[in-house]
Amino acid sequence: MVLSILPSHADRFRLHPVGPRLAPIFCFALLTASCALASFALACATPFAAFAVLAAAMLPLRPALLVVTGAWLVNQTIGFGVLHYPVDGSTVAWGLVIGVAALLATVVSSAVLRTLPQGRTPLMLAITLVAAYATYELVLLAAMPALGGEGAFTAAIVARIGLTSAAWLAGLVAACEIIRLIDPFGRAIRNA
């Protein structure tokens, strides 16, 4: 009998901080807490591409989309409820476009991770982040003619947000690895 140290679902997922049964709730808690922190710290520069990659790396597509939607709802609630974004057509429309962009980035992340070979996870996550961020920014760029905001699409701003997304993804992956090493839920639950 051959024993494998990898979970049985390793062919579909790249990150395993907790067992498969706990992964959706763990991912949801991690991303909503991260989104709340990012929303207060960065306001409208929340790293949704990084969130999309992490969700796609931990979960099947449908739960990943639900988790990213939850993070987006946290962002919008903080923006409109706490940071007092103006409640006008343009701001609400941009909020919806950001949500669509985050969901499309999640779909792209999931597709990219399915096509990449196993192993060398940091490289695979970096490639996936590039694809997710490009998707995210292209959706925002496509909405710009109708909604305005040309000043937010300078090379410096897009590069800065891209680097911020990379830093957030690295931090989220590090948090996942720390949780995996600490193993707060025990091996029995992890393998369930």
Side-chain angles (χ1 to χ4, degrees), residues 133 151-162:
Y133 187 64
F153 286 95
T154 66
I157 291 172
V158 171
R160 185 187 54 165
I161 294 172

Side-chain angles (χ1 to χ4, degrees), residues 32-46:
T32 54
S34 298
C35 189
L37 179 62
S39 296
F40 283 116
L42 305 172
C44 59
T46 302

Side-chain angles (χ1 to χ4, degrees), residues 17-19 22 25-26 179 182-191:
V18 296
L22 296 178
I25 193 69
F26 174 80
I179 293 297
I182 293 173
D183 194 23
F185 303 108
R187 299 274 179 221
I189 293 174
R190 172 175 316 215
N191 296 323

Side-chain angles (χ1 to χ4, degrees), residues 7-183:
S8 61
H9 59 290
D11 58 326
R12 293 192 59 209
F13 310 112
R14 303 292 195 263
L15 295 176
H16 310 283
V18 296
R21 286 190 345 204
L22 296 178
I25 193 69
F26 174 80
C27 189
F28 179 74
L30 178 63
L31 289 189
T32 54
S34 298
C35 189
L37 179 62
S39 296
F40 283 116
L42 305 172
C44 59
T46 302
F48 282 111
F51 295 168
V53 171
L54 187 84
M58 287 182 63
L59 303 169
L61 181 57
R62 186 173 293 156
L65 290 169
L66 290 172
V67 165
V68 171
T69 299
W72 172 78
L73 286 170
V74 167
N75 172 262
Q76 295 302 296
T77 300
I78 291 170
F80 286 103
V82 179
L83 299 177
H84 306 293
Y85 291 173
V87 181
D88 58 36
S90 177
T91 308
V92 170
W94 269 116
L96 292 172
V97 169
I98 288 169
V100 168
L103 292 175
L104 287 175
T106 305
V107 170
V108 167
S109 296
S110 182
V112 169
L113 286 170
R114 277 195 316 268
T115 61
L116 290 174
Q118 291 294 312
R120 299 190 318 201
T121 301
L123 177 60
M124 300 310 143
L125 291 175
I127 291 167
T128 304
L129 179 62
V130 169
Y133 187 64
T135 300
Y136 182 81
E137 286 296 323
L138 285 172
V139 171
L140 298 182
L141 187 61
M144 187 183 57
L147 299 177
E150 294 82 7
F153 286 95
T154 66
I157 291 172
V158 171
R160 185 187 54 165
I161 294 172
L163 291 173
T164 300
S165 290
W168 272 88
L169 181 59
L172 290 167
V173 169
C176 287
E177 286 301 302
I178 289 168
I179 293 297
R180 185 183 63 77
L181 291 172
I182 293 173
D183 194 23

